[in-house]
């Protein structure tokens, strides 16, 4: 990936709706080579998709909870069952398996604290292998960055 590819990525991460002609102008290419580079970045898996940024409250997901999960059992079957169950829960919008403690960090997005309590009691605590959880409620979003900063190199 060269400097031009990185510039393409930086512009698309800022505005994924840029027209190819506009993008080409921004990175100093003509439209055809620019489109070829974008398609190559897509086919090689560098660009994994395009998404709209949506206000979570507008779609009933304005209450965010960071949940630390510690597992009682960490054998392969339990881990796979836990992760498969998490993948099916719409309320869990992000899940990371970690080295050390906790074993998992989840971002849960629901309409309000009452819905979180129902989700927590009815689903989260009953997942395979869960020993302990610690829920932290978001007070304020200070920063959110779409994608990652692209180094210029």
């Amino acid at each position: 990936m060269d400097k031009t590819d990185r510039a393409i990525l930086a512009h698309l991460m800022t505005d994924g709706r840029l027209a190819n002609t506009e993008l080409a102008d921004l990175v100093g290419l003509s439209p055809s080579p620019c489109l070829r580079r974008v398609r190559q970045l897509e086919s090689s898996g560098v660009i994994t998709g395009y998404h709209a940024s949506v206000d979570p409250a507008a779609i009933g997901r304005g209450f965010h909870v960071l949940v630390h999960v510690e597992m009682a059992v960490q054998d392969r079957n339990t881990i796979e069952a836990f992760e498969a169950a998490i993948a099916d829960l719409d309320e869990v919008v992000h899940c990371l398996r970690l080295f050390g403690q906790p074993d998992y960090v989840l971002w849960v997005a629901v309409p309000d604290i009452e819905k979180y309590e129902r989700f927590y009691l009815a689903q989260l605590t009953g997942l395979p292998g869960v020993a302990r959880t610690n829920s932290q409620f978001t007070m304020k979003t200070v920063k959110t960055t779409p994608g990652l900063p692209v180094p210029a190199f």
Side-chain angles (χ1 to χ4, degrees):
M1 193 174 350
D2 65 11
K3 186 173 140 180
T4 303
D5 289 333
R6 292 179 189 285
I8 289 170
L9 291 174
H11 287 293
L12 287 176
M13 287 170 40
T14 301
D15 183 1
R17 295 184 63 172
L18 277 174
N20 183 59
T21 54
E22 215 177 331
L23 179 60
D25 284 343
L26 290 169
V27 299
L29 292 174
S30 60
S32 292
C34 183
L35 185 58
R36 272 195 300 276
R37 282 179 178 255
V38 170
R39 296 290 183 245
Q40 177 57 40
L41 291 166
E42 292 169 346
S43 67
S44 67
V46 175
I47 295 176
T48 58
Y50 298 90
H51 311 277
S53 184
V54 177
D55 175 10
I59 58 170
R61 296 292 184 101
F63 189 74
H64 296 170
V65 184
L66 178 67
V67 184
H68 292 203
V69 177
E70 293 183 20
M71 303 295 285
V73 181
Q74 297 186 3
D75 62 78
R76 182 185 198 117
N77 289 338
T78 305
I79 294 298
E80 287 175 356
F82 174 82
E83 290 179 4
I86 285 293
D88 288 337
L89 297 175
D90 288 339
E91 296 86 351
V92 177
V93 295
H94 200 71
C95 175
L96 302 170
R97 182 173 8 150
L98 307 177
F99 287 105
Q101 296 286 323
D103 297 303
Y104 290 91
V105 172
L106 314 176
W107 273 112
V108 175
V110 291
D112 52 42
I113 195 166
E114 291 82 15
K115 293 279 198 248
Y116 178 70
E117 181 182 14
R118 279 196 293 258
F119 166 74
Y120 179 84
L121 293 172
Q123 295 179 325
L124 190 58
T125 58
L127 293 176
V130 172
R132 281 176 295 289
T133 63
N134 180 5
S135 301
Q136 298 172 311
F137 303 137
T138 301
M139 182 185 304
K140 172 184 170 184
T141 300
V142 176
K143 178 181 178 181
T144 186
T145 303
L148 299 169
V150 180
F153 298 142

